[in-house]
Amino acid sequence: MIDNMKKLIIIPAYNESANIKDTVENIIKTVPDFDYVVINDQSKDNTLEILQKNHFNYVSLPVNLGIGGAVQTGYKYALENGYDAAVQVDADGQHDVSYLNDLVKKMENEQADMVIGSRFITNEGFQSTFMRRVGINYFTRMIKHLTGHTITDPTSGFRLADKKVIQLFAKSYPRDYPEPESIVFLLLKNLKVVEVPVKMKERQGGVSSIRMWSSAYYMIKVSLAILIESIRK
């Protein structure tokens, strides 16, 4: 079953010129059974030039849509091209794609709709900053309270989705910092979300989209979005 799956890696990229070449080349080398597409979210640096020069597979958005819009574009691409599974991999080098087959096996063995790569099951590798771990713990507790499910790494972008989730996310996907909200969305639809332990790396270059000054805004905005999603059920 695994060997017959058509699998796509979605790589959202905004100003990732420092990382994108190494990230894509590592994917091609490490997991050749996965296809990939880079979603260039109207980068202002030379990300697009690098994609073109190296003949990488990419979609270049005409306007900047933010992380949610870029990832949703990837899911639309997956849906339109008949993929059985799609996984988001960050362009900054933090996600170790050697774990991808672990995610796929977990999905098949447990008949899961989404598998999240979690750095907090075995607590190995890069654990993020202290303030972000505080936020992650907060969202773990909030999701548990609203859905009854424990997700140890709700902000992880390293996530494998099956065809059912691809269809849902291609139609509707949160715009800003979408990971916790989209998890609640799936759990409230009684879809199965599980985790596997992974090690993550520190960002290899560039700048994160979440800065210290925006942490409070992030938590408030995502909290409200999650509460609204739970009310809609």
Side-chain angles (χ1 to χ4, degrees):
M1 177 66 180
I2 291 175
D3 292 337
N4 294 329
M5 288 179 66
K6 188 177 179 183
K7 306 179 291 287
L8 177 71
I9 296 174
I10 300 167
I11 312 167
Y14 177 70
N15 293 346
E16 292 289 358
S17 60
N19 309 304
I20 194 63
K21 184 173 185 292
D22 288 344
T23 296
V24 174
E25 288 180 344
N26 182 55
I27 286 170
I28 294 170
K29 177 183 177 181
T30 307
V31 282
D33 55 326
F34 281 76
D35 296 335
Y36 74 89
V37 62
V38 180
I39 310 299
N40 175 44
D41 193 20
Q42 195 60 207
S43 297
K44 298 185 184 304
D45 63 3
N46 63 333
T47 296
L48 179 58
E49 180 183 340
I50 292 170
L51 297 173
Q52 294 171 332
K53 180 179 178 180
N54 290 277
H55 305 288
F56 292 149
N57 186 40
Y58 70 90
V59 172
S60 194
L61 298 175
V63 295
N64 178 266
L65 296 181
I67 182 63
V71 173
Q72 185 178 20
T73 300
Y75 283 117
K76 287 179 178 291
Y77 180 98
L79 180 62
E80 292 172 2
N81 289 279
Y83 283 93
D84 300 302
V87 60
Q88 179 184 335
V89 169
D90 288 354
D92 58 18
Q94 292 191 79
H95 296 158
D96 186 346
V97 294
S98 66
Y99 287 101
L100 282 180
N101 285 321
D102 291 342
L103 272 68
V104 173
K105 289 176 184 177
K106 185 78 167 181
M107 175 171 283
E108 183 177 54
N109 291 340
E110 298 203 14
Q111 295 296 295
D113 298 294
M114 172 171 280
V115 181
I116 301 170
S118 170
R119 72 203 108 172
F120 301 119
I121 295 176
T122 58
N123 291 310
E124 297 181 276
F126 178 60
Q127 299 290 290
S128 192
T129 64
F130 172 76
M131 286 305 298
R132 289 196 190 184
R133 290 198 303 273
V134 170
I136 289 166
N137 184 60
Y138 165 78
F139 285 121
T140 292
R141 291 173 180 273
M142 186 176 192
I143 291 171
K144 173 70 172 179
H145 177 72
L146 292 173
T147 71
H149 295 270
T150 298
I151 304 296
T152 66
D153 202 349
T155 67
S156 172
F158 196 25
R159 316 187 308 166
L160 179 72
D162 71 358
K163 186 172 288 189
K164 187 185 300 182
V165 175
I166 289 172
Q167 292 172 340
L168 289 170
F169 284 171
K171 182 178 180 180
S172 177
Y173 197 72
R175 290 183 58 188
D176 299 319
Y177 317 123
E179 288 83 7
E181 183 182 349
S182 59
I183 290 170
V184 172
F185 172 75
L186 296 179
L187 291 173
L188 292 178
K189 285 186 173 293
N190 295 316
L191 298 183
K192 189 172 184 179
V193 179
V194 299
E195 296 179 288
V196 294
V198 300
K199 294 180 183 178
M200 293 190 187
K201 308 171 186 176
E202 290 192 65
R203 167 178 275 273
Q204 303 301 298
V207 179
S208 172
S209 61
I210 304 176
R211 310 286 186 84
M212 285 295 293
W213 61 265
S214 65
S215 296
Y217 167 80
Y218 166 78
M219 293 183 68
I220 292 169
K221 182 171 183 179
V222 176
S223 296
L224 289 173
I226 289 173
L227 289 171
I228 291 170
E229 189 62 53
S230 66
I231 294 170
R232 285 177 179 171
K233 183 182 182 250

